[in-house]
Each structure stands twice: as structure tokens, then as C-alpha cells.
Amino acid sequence: MFKFGTKAETLWNLKDLVTEALVPEIYFFTRDQWSTAKLAILDEIHQQFGHSTLAVRSSGLNEDGANSSMAGAFLSNLNVHSGDCDELTLAIEQVLQSMSGNPRDQVLVQPMISDIEVSGVIMTFDMVNGAPYFCIDFDDESGRTDVVTSGNGIHKSLFVYRDAHSSLIRSPRIAQFLSLARELEAICKCAALDIEFGMNKAGQLFLFQVRRIVLARHWHPVTERRVKRQLAHVEDYVRNLSKRRDGILGERTILAVMPDWNPAEIIGTTPKPLAASLYRELITKSVWRNARASMGYRALDSAELMLLINSHPYIDVRNSFNSFLPASVSEAVGEKLVNAWLDRLEAFPEFHDKVEFEIVPTCLDFCFIEDFKARYPALLNDDEFEEYRKALTELTHQCLASHPDNTLDLALRSTEQLERLQMGKVNDEGYVHLARAEFLLTKCKEFGTTSFAVVARHAFIAEALLRSAVRRGALSDQRLTEFKRSIQTITGSMLDEYAQVCNSQFSRLSFFNKYGHLRPGTYEVTSLRYDERDDLFVDAMAMPVSISRPEFKLSDTESTRIDSLLHEAGFGSLNPEMLLRYAEKAIAAREYVKFLFTRSLSDALSEIVRWGESYGLSRDDISYLEWPQIVKSLTQPVMDDVDRYYLDIAESARGTMSAAHAFRLGHIVYGVQDIYVATLNRSVPNFIGLGAASGRVFQLEANTPTTVNIKNCIICIENADPGFDWIFTKEPMALITRFGGANSHMAVRCAELGLPAAIGCGDQIFQRVLQAESVELNCADKILRPLYVN
């Protein structure tokens, strides 16, 4: 009969029962025994283990209980030499000193396992909410046994649905881990277990620890049944989504959170209903495809870019890739290209936030032929390749050409109408505020996000051309960084004027009139605007009036080399200075148009708040309502008390959102298998500039007061947008974000300001960074390394 005890006692009771793994040799003793028989214990350890290298670990009475856990609270000393009596004694004393002082606390001594190939932890249920997943974190790179448990390394994570069919587990190694977990559940007569394990290079599993998950008593019993029902519906949805669609090329689709208008960065991985519905209305329903069609890309009739699976937003990658085809490319060639792009994304998932640079050529840059032949050899015959090259050349040339009907200039002229929009304040009932919100959002979509979608695409083209010029040797990385720093964007203006306020050269009222609409979380109604916060200038220090922006001028050699590349690509009508002017205009315009459309959006959110207040709805209540549910009351009056009607909807949505957090999906879904085996892909960070920094980590959230002292800190933000621009007034040392692409808002900001940054580093790296005391960031060498202080 198995019985749980202390860490040491539990392993001792398991060692003859487990068949899927070996329990390393065990020796343990109490604090009381050590105090009375120290020499005898040291002699027994030497006799049992000889001159082995040992692990000396805590085994406290309060460490692995049924109702409480002190997991990780006490010390473990690894790689202790048993033949060195002083070293062993010190290791034991340190472990005892880390515990509670109870005379029955134990010290567990075991041999270190050599040749470790994999080490990890299995939670047999989601620890937080009891969702029915095996949650596996493992390290197969460092050769250490403590990477996952200590949190000071990089590891892989996946969630396997507990009832997933064995055929869905493609990795034999993962299958072994699961077999061990299931056996331990059966032996322990307990389904909620926390298991630490290792595997050597010969494939032998070792069991290091088993404890009960003490949070299990708080889990709601319906969670497991609900997830099971939801998974069945999601499986049907994903299977149907990948079927052929009229007007859409490609044999299947892939779903991902980061490619193309990456929702993970803009609205988060589980956005509230209002934010998600506004993002759909303003961007992903139709604006994204209509803007591209106007620039010469393939027109799509009714395809949407974003979909929501149990409140988790995903990009339909097949639709996205269709929209990157030049309009003149035949369907036969387009079919081959879309399928090849999808295959490459599956082969290289780390590029899911870099598809425009690593997967899909959205313009003809200076490395197009070389890259295409390397990435897609033999995909197209000579005639097909020439058809595609010509189409891409013509599209790119139309974007670069300077004429009044250039789509970049048309978009900027359209935005002027949004810039001239002036809305005075009104004091009236809720209906008027809601009507104003609808008006502002309509104008935002017509003149703001539609223009922004065009301008942002031009900025991507400019970035691709400049990067390829560096790869071809026409520019250096350093010179490209200098060029970007020379571009004046709206952020630079804001920082200049913030400094002027601090120096009493510019009024706060004027500053707020211009920048007050900015809010961390552009689409999130619960996030306060700058002009709604009272801490933006508290303890503000005087800053230099202007930020240094070096003038940039091409050298004769650079100009000659870029001119040669332009002629080679078929852009002979352009010269190098025209290319740089185009890039400068596109990059600066993207930031300015975003600034303008977010003002209309932010003003609309404020009107929605006033509408809600008139009926007793809080910001939080409103955040759980979808925009169509709100706006339809303009044409369909609510036939009940308005507060009761909307509070019921909000409360229902809260329940749905709570359940959604228990539902595990990976960042990329290739097919049905990924519904049941969810992998959190590691991302390759986008290193901005060539700078380096090393220092203390500080995490910022949307509600972090602006009075916080972040000077000379390395700032960590999940997904940064214009509302976080206040951080640049506080002199941070560097920036790290969980989500974001090479052309994201924060990437542009950091490039302009010369601030070292790692944008979009992904879940695992971001979590390791947060757990570190300090971080080393070297953009030139592409290094992001947590530094742990022992």
C-alpha cells in the first residue's frame, strides 16, 4: 500500500512500485539525528555512496503536505562531493538551516544522475484551475536537473489533454513522460500530482520527486467536463476551417497569434469582448484586405483575418497569405505559393511573428531571387517564377513611385480629414454619447485605420528594402541604425514637449490637448488615458529639450551601391535619395497615422464610458460587452431596464472569459492534433539597433503608475502600444516585450531613440527574464541572457 509522506518518505515508498522510472538511491535522516550522530551519518553516507557526486536536498515536514506546500522554499545543494567531509557537512548544514527548525525535518541524500539529456516537471492537471491537461515543462539543452524548478534557464512547454488519443502524441519521449505520470496516478490513487523527473542519454527515466497539488481542493468540479465539451466543438471548427474555401487559395490553413496584425501584441491572448470586437470592426473584418487590394495585392471578397476560439484570438494564416499575392498572379501560381508558405511556417514556427521577412515576400527586395531559390527550390518553373517576379516588381514599383496617386500619399491625404475632426464636449444623456461614439468609430475606420493599413504596408516594404540593402553590403547595420535614428516621428515630438513641460517651457494643458488621448491598451476601455491620470508629471525631472537625432547622408560609396541594387531590381527610375525619402516618409507616417486614429478610438471609448455611467455601468462592466451589442441600441431600443439588460450580458461574459482561461491552446494551430497537444513555441527576439545594456529588470503593466522610478532599468512589457510611450520620458536602459514584431510600434520607437530592445521574445524567454534579477541584452550579437545572482 502506497502512502504519501515527506519528500524522502514518498520516494522511498515509491521506489519498489514504479516501473516506468527508476528512483535514485536514497538516504535520509532527521535534524534530531544529525545533532546527535553527525559522524555516524557522514560515515553511513560514505559507505552507501562511496566517492559519488551527491544531491543534498530538503525534506521538511511542511514541504509536501496534502493541504499546503512549501515547494521550492528550502535549499537543495547539487554536485556535492561525498568524499569531501567538510563540503558534505557544509551542504547538509545549509539545507537544515533553510528549513523550519522542526527536529523531525529531514535531509535527503541521493546520487547525482550523470548524462542527463532531459529534465522537467509534469503537472497532471493545470495547477491554477484544474483544467484536464498534463502540463509538461522540460529542458533538453542544458544537461542540468534543476532548470525548470529553479526557473533560471530556457525550457519547452506543452499541454496535453488528459484524454487525448495516443496517436496524437508524435514524440516517443513525450509518450514516456505521460506513461510515467499515468502510472504514478494509479499507484498514488491521486490524479493531481506534481512530478519532477529526468532522463539520461540512454533513454532511462529517473523519478526525483512526487507531491500532491495542494490547490486541487480549490478546483471547480465542472471545469474538466466543460473543457471536454468545448474541445469537441473546437475540433469540428478547426477541421472545417481548413477545408477548401471559394475564392481562397491553399489546401489548408494555419492559425497563429502573431502573424499579420498580430492580435497577441495589440489586444492580448485573451482579450475582453469590447476590445476584441472593436479590433475586428476597425481592422480585421475588412479594412486589412481592402487596403491591400488598393495597393495591388489580391482582392479577397469576404474573408476575415482574425477569429476567436473560446476568447483566444487567432489569425487565419491562409487568408493572410492570400492577401500578400500580387493581383496579377494566376491562381495556379498563387496556389503553389500559398501552400509553400504554409509549409515553411510549419517547418519554422519560430518565424510566426516575422512572416513578411522570413516566409512571404511581400515586395521585391534586393535579396528576392536569392531568398526565393533557397527557401522554395523547384517550387515554380521558369515561366511561373518569371510571372511572379514581374508581378512583384510591378507592385513594388507602384508603391515606390512618386506621383499624386501613390497609395501612400492618398492615405496621408485621407488622414487629414481625421486630423481636422474636432469634437466639443457635451453634457447629455447616454444616447447622445453612444451616437458620438458610433460617429467617431465610423470616421476612425474610414479615414484612420484604412489609411493606417496602407501606410503600415508601405513601412514594411521600406523595411524589407533597407534590410536587404544591408544584406547585400550596400549599407552596414550601424548605418541603418543611424538612418532610423534620424527620422523624426510623433514620439520624438512628444518627448521633446514632455521635456518642455518639465522645464516650464510648455503648458500641461497644451500637452494633454495633444497627447492626452494615449492610453496603455489602445482598445481596452478600463485603461486610463494620459489626461485621466494624475501621475504623469508627478516627480518629473527636467530633461534635455531635444533628443539627439543625427543628420543622415549617404556616402558616395553607399549611394553607388544602392543605385546599382535599384537598377538590378528593375527600379532604375529611382535613385538612392528617393528610396531613403520614401522609407523616411513611410516610417514616420505609420506612427503619425496610428497616433491620429488612436485619438478617435480613444475619444470613442471615453464616450462609451459616459454612456455607461449614465446607466450605472462601470468601465469593467462595459469591457465585457461587445460593440455590436452596445451600438444596436441606437436602432433597437432595449425593452428592459438598461442597466439590468447589460449587466446580465456582462456577467455572462465574465463567466465565459473565466472558463476561457482554463482552455489551453498553443500559439500555432496546424490542425486537430494541436487542439489536444498545445505547444508554446519559443520565439526568436527581434533585436532593435546595435546597442547593449545590462541591468535590473522591471515589469510594467497597463495600470503601473507613471511615478515609478525606472531610470536605468531594463523594462519588460507584455504587449506595448503607443499608450506606453511615457516610459521613454523616464530614461530606461532597454526594453523587452513578450509580443511584437520587427515593425511593431515599440520597435520603431526604440530604433528612433537608439534604445536597445528585444521585441517579441516569446513566453519562455519572457518568463525567464521576469524571474531573473538582472538581464544582459546585446543587440549587435543578438544575445538576451538572464543574469542570476547567487
Side-chain angles (χ1 to χ4, degrees):
M1 288 289 294
F2 170 80
K3 188 170 82 170
F4 281 102
T6 63
K7 181 190 304 180
E9 291 164 351
T10 296
L11 286 174
W12 180 268
N13 294 338
L14 282 170
K15 67 184 181 65
D16 294 328
L17 301 176
V18 176
T19 62
E20 295 288 342
L22 292 177
V23 177
E25 275 189 272
I26 295 174
Y27 181 86
F28 63 96
F29 53 91
T30 66
R31 178 189 297 273
D32 209 14
Q33 290 170 328
W34 175 255
S35 65
T36 58
K38 183 182 302 184
L39 293 178
I41 288 173
L42 291 172
D43 185 58
E44 288 180 21
I45 292 174
H46 183 71
Q47 288 186 30
Q48 181 166 341
F49 298 108
H51 290 278
S52 303
T53 303
L54 303 177
V56 181
R57 307 165 64 196
S58 63
S59 180
L61 289 181
N62 61 343
E63 193 170 352
D64 292 335
N67 297 314
S68 65
S69 172
M70 299 289 288
F74 306 133
L75 185 66
S76 290
N77 280 319
L78 306 181
N79 298 306
V80 179
H81 297 95
S82 65
D84 187 328
C85 188
D86 290 338
E87 181 182 347
L88 179 57
T89 300
L90 178 62
I92 292 171
E93 295 280 6
Q94 287 175 337
V95 169
L96 284 169
Q97 191 174 19
S98 73
M99 290 189 284
S100 66
N102 190 307
R104 291 186 296 157
D105 281 342
Q106 299 165 346
V107 175
L108 168 63
V109 180
Q110 293 180 286
M112 292 291 296
I113 305 301
S114 60
D115 294 328
I116 283 291
E117 178 86 5
V118 184
S119 64
V121 172
I122 305 171
M123 298 284 183
T124 58
F125 279 81
D126 186 299
M127 181 174 63
V128 176
N129 47 46
Y133 296 93
F134 290 104
C135 307
I136 307 174
D137 292 298
F138 65 97
D139 162 43
D140 59 1
E141 297 180 16
S142 72
R144 293 162 45 196
T145 60
D146 65 336
V147 164
V148 175
T149 54
S150 66
N152 60 355
I154 304 301
H155 63 272
K156 300 174 182 176
S157 300
L158 71 157
F159 301 89
V160 181
Y161 176 55
R162 288 180 56 85
D163 293 334
H165 193 274
S166 59
S167 63
L168 298 176
I169 313 300
R170 291 185 290 196
S171 166
R173 193 165 61 180
I174 298 299
Q176 275 187 269
F177 302 162
L178 294 175
S179 293
L180 171 61
R182 294 186 189 280
E183 182 185 41
L184 287 170
E185 287 179 339
I187 293 171
C188 299
K189 301 294 189 292
C190 175
L193 297 177
D194 174 355
I195 303 161
E196 294 180 24
F197 68 92
M199 175 186 280
N200 66 14
K201 293 180 180 178
Q204 174 62 58
L205 273 178
F206 294 91
L207 183 62
F208 298 142
Q209 185 165 323
V210 179
R211 60 163 66 95
R212 288 161 288 191
I213 301 176
V214 299
L215 289 173
R217 66 185 188 276
H218 300 300
W219 296 341
H220 198 291
V222 78
T223 299
E224 188 170 358
R225 297 194 300 273
R226 181 177 57 234
V227 169
K228 182 176 183 178
R229 289 197 310 272
Q230 291 175 338
L231 279 168
H233 296 306
V234 173
E235 177 181 342
D236 287 342
Y237 179 75
V238 169
R239 183 177 284 111
N240 288 325
L241 198 67
S242 236
K243 292 178 180 177
R244 282 281 187 184
R245 288 191 57 190
D246 293 336
I248 302 295
L249 305 178
E251 296 175 350
R252 57 164 177 153
T253 194
I254 292 173
L255 308 179
V257 300
M258 284 296 291
D260 202 357
W261 289 100
N262 38 36
E265 180 189 9
I266 307 301
I267 56 176
T269 54
T270 319
K272 292 179 182 177
L274 181 60
S277 61
L278 286 173
Y279 195 57
R280 175 179 182 264
E281 178 65 27
L282 295 178
I283 303 288
T284 66
K285 183 178 180 181
S286 59
V287 163
W288 69 285
R289 53 181 166 82
N290 292 338
R292 288 176 192 171
S294 73
M295 297 176 65
Y297 293 100
R298 178 181 171 85
L300 305 178
D301 292 331
S302 60
E304 291 203 28
L305 185 63
M306 183 181 74
L307 51 89
L308 290 168
I309 298 179
N310 206 0
S311 300
H312 296 73
Y314 283 91
I315 294 300
D316 187 323
V317 179
R318 176 170 57 181
N319 288 351
S320 168
F321 286 178
N322 269 258
S323 75
F324 287 138
L325 290 167
S328 60
V329 166
S330 66
E331 291 202 352
V333 172
E335 177 78 12
K336 289 184 178 182
L337 289 169
V338 170
N339 287 330
W341 295 338
L342 292 167
D343 290 344
R344 179 169 168 81
L345 177 57
E346 183 166 8
F348 298 97
E350 65 270 25
F351 294 150
H352 71 134
D353 60 344
K354 305 172 181 67
V355 293
E356 291 98 329
F357 300 112
E358 300 290 346
I359 307 289
V360 182
T362 60
C363 67
L364 191 130
D365 64 26
F366 304 128
C367 296
F368 167 73
I369 295 176
E370 174 189 346
D371 285 344
F372 192 90
K373 296 297 185 183
R375 295 169 181 172
Y376 309 108
L379 175 66
L380 304 178
N381 62 36
D382 291 345
D383 291 339
E384 291 171 331
F385 178 76
E386 187 60 18
E387 174 192 329
Y388 182 46
R389 188 196 66 78
K390 281 185 175 181
L392 209 53
T393 301
E394 178 59 26
L395 184 149
T396 308
H397 189 269
Q398 287 297 319
C399 290
L400 295 174
S402 179
H403 55 77
D405 292 331
N406 180 290
T407 52
L408 175 57
D409 292 309
L410 288 174
L412 287 173
R413 289 202 295 273
S414 176
T415 308
E416 291 174 1
Q417 300 187 57
L418 200 62
E419 188 174 13
R420 291 193 294 267
L421 184 64
Q422 298 292 330
M423 301 289 290
K425 292 185 178 180
V426 296
N427 296 312
D428 211 316
E429 297 300 321
Y431 183 94
V432 173
H433 290 298
L434 185 55
R436 285 168 65 90
E438 183 192 34
F439 175 80
L440 285 165
L441 290 174
T442 300
K443 296 301 179 184
C444 179
K445 180 177 177 180
E446 184 178 359
F447 302 120
T449 56
T450 299
S451 297
F452 177 71
V454 171
V455 171
R457 177 57 27 209
H458 278 279
F460 267 104
I461 292 171
E463 180 74 22
L465 289 165
L466 293 173
R467 287 190 186 192
S468 63
V470 170
R471 290 175 58 195
R472 292 291 300 274
L475 286 174
S476 67
D477 278 321
Q478 179 65 39
R479 290 287 285 160
L480 179 56
T481 298
E482 291 173 7
F483 168 70
K484 290 182 177 180
R485 289 201 63 189
S486 73
I487 301 173
Q488 172 80 41
T489 70
I490 190 66
T491 296
S493 299
M494 188 197 80
L495 296 183
D496 287 345
E497 291 175 19
Y498 180 90
Q500 291 172 25
V501 173
C502 296
N503 293 322
S504 301
Q505 298 171 326
F506 194 65
S507 73
R508 294 190 183 188
L509 178 61
S510 298
F511 183 90
F512 283 131
N513 284 339
K514 188 171 182 180
Y515 305 105
H517 68 273
L518 294 173
R519 63 173 90 218
T522 301
Y523 293 81
E524 179 51 56
V525 72
T526 61
S527 178
L528 296 180
R529 296 160 49 116
Y530 280 10
D531 58 13
E532 293 171 336
R533 306 177 69 150
D534 56 7
D535 57 0
L536 192 64
F537 290 98
V538 174
D539 297 328
M541 297 183 298
M543 294 175 55
V545 173
S546 62
I547 296 169
S548 173
R549 286 185 189 83
E551 285 191 16
F552 185 86
K553 181 176 176 57
L554 290 172
S555 69
D556 291 342
T557 300
E558 290 168 337
S559 185
T560 299
R561 288 173 176 171
I562 293 177
D563 190 62
S564 177
L565 292 178
L566 288 168
H567 279 82
E568 176 189 304
F571 307 140
S573 61
L574 301 174
N575 61 47
E577 289 298 333
M578 293 170 67
L579 175 62
L580 290 191
R581 284 200 299 272
Y582 167 79
E584 181 178 0
K585 177 191 278 189
I587 292 170
R590 174 180 53 192
E591 300 311 303
Y592 188 63
V593 175
K594 179 185 291 184
F595 177 81
L596 287 179
F597 93 69
T598 57
R599 183 176 67 186
S600 295
L601 170 58
S602 186
D603 289 345
L605 286 173
S606 296
E607 295 294 346
I608 294 171
V609 169
R610 296 185 186 102
W611 163 82
E613 286 174 346
S614 67
Y615 296 112
L617 303 175
S618 69
R619 286 176 181 261
D620 189 65
D621 295 330
I622 294 167
S623 72
Y624 285 97
L625 306 176
E626 294 182 358
W627 172 241
Q629 293 171 330
I630 297 172
V631 74
K632 76 174 184 179
S633 66
L634 290 176
T635 53
Q636 299 179 42
V638 174
M639 305 306 290
D640 197 349
D641 294 337
V642 173
D643 57 345
R644 181 192 304 184
Y645 176 78
Y646 282 114
L647 285 173
D648 285 347
I649 295 175
E651 192 58 33
S652 175
R654 284 190 180 93
T656 299
M657 290 292 296
S658 177
H661 286 289
F663 193 85
R664 292 292 188 173
L665 287 172
H667 289 170
I668 305 181
V669 176
Y670 305 104
V672 168
Q673 174 192 336
D674 302 293
I675 299 299
Y676 296 99
V677 182
T679 302
L680 299 186
N681 295 86
R682 290 183 292 178
S683 294
V684 178
N686 297 283
F687 293 96
I688 307 302
L690 301 174
S694 179
R696 184 170 68 93
V697 167
F698 194 102
Q699 184 181 11
L700 288 181
E701 297 177 343
N703 59 355
T704 301
T706 60
T707 54
V708 67
N709 182 12
I710 59 174
K711 183 176 181 178
N712 295 327
C713 291
I714 295 180
I715 305 305
C716 294
I717 313 176
E718 286 226 351
N719 45 325
D721 57 31
F724 279 99
D725 280 352
W726 63 266
I727 68 175
F728 299 119
T729 69
K730 306 295 184 180
E731 300 182 63
M733 186 183 297
L735 178 69
I736 299 169
T737 72
R738 178 184 178 194
F739 298 113
N743 256 19
S744 67
H745 173 83
M746 277 298 174
V748 174
R749 295 295 199 252
C750 293
E752 177 190 2
L753 300 174
L755 190 73
I759 305 295
C761 65
D763 288 293
Q764 285 85 8
I765 296 177
F766 190 74
Q767 290 303 318
R768 298 289 78 74
V769 164
L770 292 183
Q771 292 171 15
E773 297 185 26
S774 60
V775 165
E776 176 190 357
L777 172 61
N778 187 316
C779 297
D781 295 337
K782 295 184 169 28
I783 292 171
L784 176 56
R785 180 185 297 133
L787 301 177
Y788 296 88
V789 180
N790 295 324

